[in-house]
Amino acid sequence: MIAVSVDAPSESRDVVERLDLPFDILSDVDAAVVRQFGLLHAGGNPHGGDTTVPAMFLIGREGEVLWRRIAQRIQDRPDPREILDVIERLTAAAP
Amino acid sequence: MSTTETVNPTQEERVAQRPSKAYLIGPVLALLSIPAYLIWLDVPRLRSTALQSFALMIAGTVVSLMTLKTDRRRRAKGAAIGTGGFLLLGAGMFFFAAKLPPPAGAPEVGARVPAFTLPDQSGQPVNLASLYQRGTTLLVFYRGHW
């Protein structure tokens, strides 16, 4: 699992340390990768500037998208149990 | 005649004379929807749907309208209008103001993801392909913290 945000690495380091996260957070400060993935939310950051539409992609070994979920509203959050179910189902079918 | 029968009417009269505060129940219920949303912000289902908050706003509006049957004062009418308006405002913010732009060319299921390398929280460059080549990878885009 890997996360991406538009925060600077130092901000992400604070988040990783504070929440003791077992995964890394990548910094896409100019939202270039966010744009590549078609997820730009222009002016979506309350401090001004752009941010990302919240989204998740489950990626297979060939770089293919196995499953995706893209938020339609700011508050949309997929249930972790649903994500775990999807991962279990897909990895059981093709490990 | 028992003593209770002579005492009771005076108590009831006193209750009737006291201005009823019941018209405040609806607005209070509706306002509780805000802390109710914030308390359960970490529960994905409640964050995504705000079920508990809409239940409180709807209950507050119903209670306010019921209060109007017995309380015809302007303040009771104002409370009912305010509570109903709050429900409409809440629904508007939740369903419309929070709408995000639709994904523009995001990779579909079955398509290849774009290649990228980004620095992690320590500044070390991480290549996406190096992760998924080792095994199925969940890539999460989130809005950052503030």
Side-chain angles (χ1 to χ4, degrees), chain B residues 14-85:
Chain B
R14 233 183 299 145
V15 170
Q17 280 162 6
R18 203 187 299 152
S20 170
K21 293 271 197 288
Y23 72 95
L24 290 173
I25 296 172
V28 168
L29 275 177
L31 283 175
L32 284 175
S33 63
I34 295 171
Y37 189 65
L38 297 177
I39 289 168
W40 286 299
L41 215 48
D42 288 342
V43 182
R45 186 159 301 234
L46 296 182
R47 184 177 186 138
S48 299
T49 61
L51 277 180
Q52 76 283 27
S53 297
F54 280 110
L56 282 165
M57 287 190 280
I58 292 167
T61 304
V62 170
V63 168
S64 283
L65 292 174
M66 281 165 60
T67 311
L68 281 184
K69 285 186 185 164
T70 50
D71 190 345
R72 305 299 301 175
R73 288 176 300 171
R74 281 184 65 174
R75 62 182 66 177
K77 288 177 191 166
I81 292 168
T83 309

Side-chain angles (χ1 to χ4, degrees), chain A residues 75-86:
Chain A
Q75 66 273 18
D76 282 349
R77 297 288 182 281
D79 197 311
R81 278 169 301 183
E82 183 199 335
I83 301 163
L84 291 175
D85 284 350
V86 168

Side-chain angles (χ1 to χ4, degrees), chain A residues 2 4 27 55 57 59 62 65 77, chain B residues 48 110 112 119 137 139-141:
Chain A
I2 191 83
V4 177
S27 283
F57 297 86
I59 305 170
E62 305 292 324
V65 176
R77 297 288 182 281
Chain B
S48 299
R112 291 285 208 102
T137 299
L139 173 66
V140 178
F141 288 87

Side-chain angles (χ1 to χ4, degrees), chain A residues 11-25, chain B residues 121:
Chain A
E11 293 173 282
S12 296
R13 189 166 58 233
D14 289 345
V15 175
V16 170
E17 285 172 5
R18 184 157 46 88
L19 301 177
D20 199 18
L21 297 180
F23 55 86
D24 293 330
I25 299 176
Chain B
Q121 68 277 6

Side-chain angles (χ1 to χ4, degrees), chain A residues 1-5 7 9-13 15-16 18 23-28 33-34 36-41 44-47 51-68 70-80 83 87 91, chain B residues 37 41-50 93-129 131-146:
Chain A
M1 174 169 171
I2 191 83
V4 177
S5 81
D7 289 341
S10 59
E11 293 173 282
S12 296
R13 189 166 58 233
V15 175
V16 170
R18 184 157 46 88
F23 55 86
D24 293 330
I25 299 176
L26 307 182
S27 283
D28 184 25
V33 170
V34 167
Q36 268 188 300
F37 276 76
L39 299 171
L40 187 72
H41 183 194
N45 187 322
H47 299 318
T51 188
T52 178
V53 171
M56 295 185 178
F57 297 86
L58 194 64
I59 305 170
R61 283 172 180 263
E62 305 292 324
E64 76 281 20
V65 176
L66 301 174
W67 171 89
R68 71 174 199 177
I70 299 170
Q72 295 180 315
R73 298 189 178 85
I74 287 172
Q75 66 273 18
D76 282 349
R77 297 288 182 281
D79 197 311
I83 301 163
I87 292 172
T91 51
Chain B
Y37 189 65
L41 215 48
D42 288 342
V43 182
R45 186 159 301 234
L46 296 182
R47 184 177 186 138
S48 299
T49 61
M93 278 171 56
F94 196 83
F95 291 110
F96 300 106
K99 259 205 140 80
L100 290 165
E108 305 275 352
V109 171
R112 291 285 208 102
V113 291
F116 69 79
T117 301
L118 283 175
D120 68 11
Q121 68 277 6
S122 315
Q124 296 296 315
V126 174
N127 178 248
L128 178 67
L131 295 173
Y132 63 65
Q133 280 162 5
R134 274 186 277 151
T136 306
T137 299
L138 184 66
L139 173 66
V140 178
F141 288 87
Y142 76 100
R143 293 172 56 80
H145 81 290
W146 43 70

